[in-house]
Amino acid sequence: MPERAPERASAPASAPASAPVTARAAALATAPVTAPAAAPAPATAGAPSVSAIVDALEAAFRLLCSEIMSARTRWVGDGAARARLDHAFLDLTHHASQALSAAADPDLLEEVQRVLLHEGFVSALNLYAITLALRDDATTLAPPGGTGGETALERVSRATIELLEAFRPCLPPSDEDLRAVLVDGVPVRTVIAARLPDRLPDRLPDR
C-alpha cells in the first residue's frame, strides 16, 4: 500500500481547512508508491503482465493527483462544490491505494484482490461523474491561462479517464459494462442486449 510521505504542502492562509487535502495530494504526486513485489505473470498473448498493470495504475494515479492539486489552486467556485471534489478525491486515494497493493500482491486471495480492484475502479468512476457535474458550471474553475482552452477541472476529468483506462485489464465484464455506460455513453439497452440477447425487456428505455 502506498506510504504517505510527510505533509509538506499547505493551502493558502485564507483556506486553512483545505490544507490536509493539498498536502496529501502533493505527497501522492511526488512520493514513490511502495507495494509488495509482484510474482511474474504467466505469458499470455495480448495480456499485460502484473508489473505492467501496476506501473500503469501508478502512473495514472500520480497524474491525477497532480491535476487535482492544480485544479484546487485555480478554484473560484463555491465551497460546497470544492468539498464534493475533495471528498471524492480522498475516497479515491483510499481505494486506489488498496487497489495498487492488491494488484501487486501475489499472495492475496483472488476474491479479495478482485473486490479491492473493483472498489478502486468504482471510486474513480465516482470522481469522474463529479467532474462532469462540476464542469457544466462555467464559474467553477478558471482556464489554465487567459480565456478559452482546457480548464483545470477538464484536465482532472481527462486524468480520471486515464486512471479508469489503467484499471481495464483488471475488470470483469460487469465493470466493463458499467464503464461503457457511464464513460463511453453506450445505451443501457445496447449493453444488456449484448450480454443477454434473449432476455431484453420489451419496455426497457432506449437510453
Side-chain angles (χ1 to χ4, degrees), residues 59-141:
F61 184 48
R62 203 179 300 280
L63 172 64
L64 178 58
C65 290
S66 177
E67 295 296 358
I68 285 281
M69 290 174 59
S70 177
R72 297 183 87 259
T73 63
R74 294 179 169 88
W75 194 269
V76 295
D78 60 47
R82 176 167 169 166
R84 289 179 65 191
L85 186 68
D86 285 349
H87 182 272
F89 172 65
L90 290 176
D91 180 70
L92 174 61
T93 298
H94 167 70
H95 289 296
S97 297
Q98 290 193 325
L100 274 168
S101 296
D105 190 349
D107 299 321
L108 196 63
L109 290 175
E110 183 178 349
E111 182 61 28
V112 175
Q113 187 180 62
R114 186 161 49 243
V115 168
L116 293 176
L117 287 166
H118 167 77
E119 289 178 346
F121 168 73
V122 171
S123 184
L125 270 181
N126 178 58
L127 177 61
Y128 176 71
I130 287 176
T131 62
L132 290 184
L134 294 182
R135 77 179 185 182
D136 289 338
D137 181 359
T139 66
T140 299
L141 289 174

Side-chain angles (χ1 to χ4, degrees), residues 136-163:
D136 289 338
D137 181 359
T139 66
T140 299
L141 289 174
T147 58
E150 190 178 41
T151 67
L153 191 58
E154 286 170 341
R155 292 173 63 87
V156 171
S157 182
R158 181 160 51 81
T160 307
I161 289 180
E162 291 193 26
L163 179 59

